[in-house]
Amino acid sequence: MKSERHVVSVSLGSSSGDHRVETVLLGHPFIIERIGTGGDYRLFCQKIRELDGKVDAIGIGGINLTLVAGRRKYYIRDAVRAVEGMRTPVVDGGGIKNSWERHLIQHILPEEVGLTLRGRRVLLVASVDRYGMAEALVEVGADVVFGDLMFGLGVPIGLRGLATIRVLAAILLPVLTRGPFTWLYPTGKKQDQVTPKFGRAYRWAEVIAGDSHLIQRFMPDDLTGKTIITNTITAAGVEAFRSRRAALLVTTTPEMEGRSFATNVLEAIVVALSGLRPEQLGPADYLDWIRRAGLRPRVERLA
């Protein structure tokens, strides 16, 4: 048996989603953990520092290192400050979002799951969090509304077109990414609160995609027939969608003992498997390692 690998995701989110899995990938025993810090930025930084040099890769959740629009990356000050000077590779899931999630929309869903998105009405709750998915949805011909203003800033306006996203990102993100992370992300107990809002957008959409905390934070009581494409889903999250009569749940990350981890966990697994630094891995590498490890998206019919 080959050497053990250990990856840990430290999240600004609630500890209610904590999980630990022991498994074997490509012959390596793996320990995969998620630790929530309940929106406490100081504790978040402390946990990351405690793990430095002790594990194979660290994922960060509840916050990204960057937001992306087109070819521009906007670095989030609080996230960058939290990981400065780390020896252990630290990832935020951006590599997976720009490779595996793009591949999922373009190829796996239509070719292996039978879910074609061409012409389907899709609400992507935040495109700058998943610009690869946003581009893929447009490329396959989906009718997409981007919810960045609604779900990020509370402004009830759906956006159309990636050019609009890039222009608004160039205006707003240089400011927002330098402010407190709470400007951009619900954290701690706020992630567990459901306050229905933007009902018109939810009703319009056949498919609701993107960050699970954003989707669940404002979802209505009725999601009859909807398809949900997300990740970071616990058993309680699955039940929340099932009770609202959603039809299909797709998570871009695999189901592991009842939990679908976030993309930062999947990216940390690839880093640990490859033995490479994140900056040495390109989109084709992520696809290759995920295939070799036999990791598959979760597809679950809810109704």
Side-chain angles (χ1 to χ4, degrees), residues 220-239:
D221 292 337
D222 184 8
L223 293 172
T224 301
K226 311 288 185 186
T227 293
I228 311 294
I229 302 175
T230 188
N231 55 39
T232 322
I233 285 292
T234 63
V238 174
E239 185 53 35

Side-chain angles (χ1 to χ4, degrees), residues 7 19 48 64 73 152 173 176 185 212 218-219 237 295:
V7 302
H19 198 54
I48 291 172
N64 291 3
K73 287 185 177 180
L173 290 185
L176 294 175
Y185 298 95
S212 64
F218 299 123
M219 64 184 175
L295 298 169

Side-chain angles (χ1 to χ4, degrees), residues 8-285:
V8 181
S9 171
V10 181
S11 175
L12 273 164
S14 167
S15 60
S16 63
D18 287 359
H19 198 54
R20 176 187 168 104
V21 171
E22 295 187 23
T23 188
V24 177
L25 297 171
L26 294 178
H28 300 284
F30 255 83
I31 298 175
I32 302 166
E33 290 184 87
R34 186 267 191 193
I35 300 171
T37 58
D40 185 333
Y41 179 73
R42 182 175 296 182
L43 179 60
F44 173 75
C45 295
Q46 177 186 327
K47 290 290 184 185
I48 291 172
R49 300 291 169 184
E50 288 174 355
L51 291 166
D52 193 19
K54 299 177 183 174
V55 298
D56 294 281
I58 299 170
I60 61 169
I63 192 170
N64 291 3
L65 287 168
T66 64
L67 297 175
V68 178
R71 295 182 179 179
R72 294 191 61 178
K73 287 185 177 180
Y74 301 87
Y75 287 85
I76 298 175
R77 186 188 61 182
D78 280 348
V80 172
R81 191 164 55 189
V83 304
E84 280 178 339
M86 294 282 290
R87 293 168 294 164
T88 297
V90 179
V91 295
D92 68 349
I96 295 296
K97 290 174 182 175
N98 193 43
S99 57
W100 177 246
E101 289 196 342
R102 185 187 293 269
H103 182 71
L104 179 97
I105 297 295
Q106 293 176 325
H107 298 287
I108 294 179
L109 291 185
E111 297 168 11
E112 301 180 26
V113 179
L115 177 59
T116 301
L117 295 173
R118 182 176 182 79
R120 302 287 298 277
R121 299 189 302 276
V122 180
L123 170 63
L124 178 59
V125 293
S127 64
V128 295
D129 173 48
R130 282 181 153 78
Y131 199 77
M133 181 180 286
E135 285 190 323
L137 288 167
V138 171
E139 288 168 7
V140 300
D143 180 10
V144 191
V145 163
F146 303 109
D148 296 67
L149 288 182
M150 290 187 281
F151 292 84
L153 300 177
V155 178
I157 298 175
L159 300 174
R160 295 279 193 167
L162 293 174
T164 303
I165 295 297
R166 292 192 292 270
V167 170
L168 284 175
I171 296 170
L172 297 174
L173 290 185
V175 177
L176 294 175
T177 53
R178 287 178 173 79
F181 68 90
T182 50
W183 286 5
L184 296 165
Y185 298 95
T187 57
K189 292 182 179 178
K190 286 183 179 178
Q191 290 190 342
D192 297 328
Q193 297 170 351
V194 180
T195 306
K197 201 173 180 181
F198 313 126
R200 182 177 178 183
Y202 280 97
R203 287 192 298 274
W204 170 85
E206 299 171 86
V207 178
I208 302 166
D211 183 276
S212 64
H213 296 303
L214 292 180
I215 293 173
Q216 293 183 76
R217 188 180 183 193
F218 299 123
M219 64 184 175
D221 292 337
D222 184 8
L223 293 172
T224 301
K226 311 288 185 186
T227 293
I228 311 294
I229 302 175
T230 188
N231 55 39
T232 322
I233 285 292
T234 63
V238 174
E239 185 53 35
F241 289 131
R242 192 192 309 278
S243 68
R244 288 168 171 80
R245 296 174 292 283
L248 182 68
L249 172 65
V250 177
T251 66
T252 62
T253 53
E255 187 270 338
M256 291 183 170
E257 298 182 9
R259 177 78 152 82
S260 294
F261 286 111
T263 51
N264 72 79
V265 177
L266 184 55
E267 190 164 333
I269 290 171
V270 170
V271 169
L273 277 173
S274 68
L276 298 174
R277 303 286 302 184
E279 56 270 24
Q280 296 174 295
L281 292 163
D285 299 309

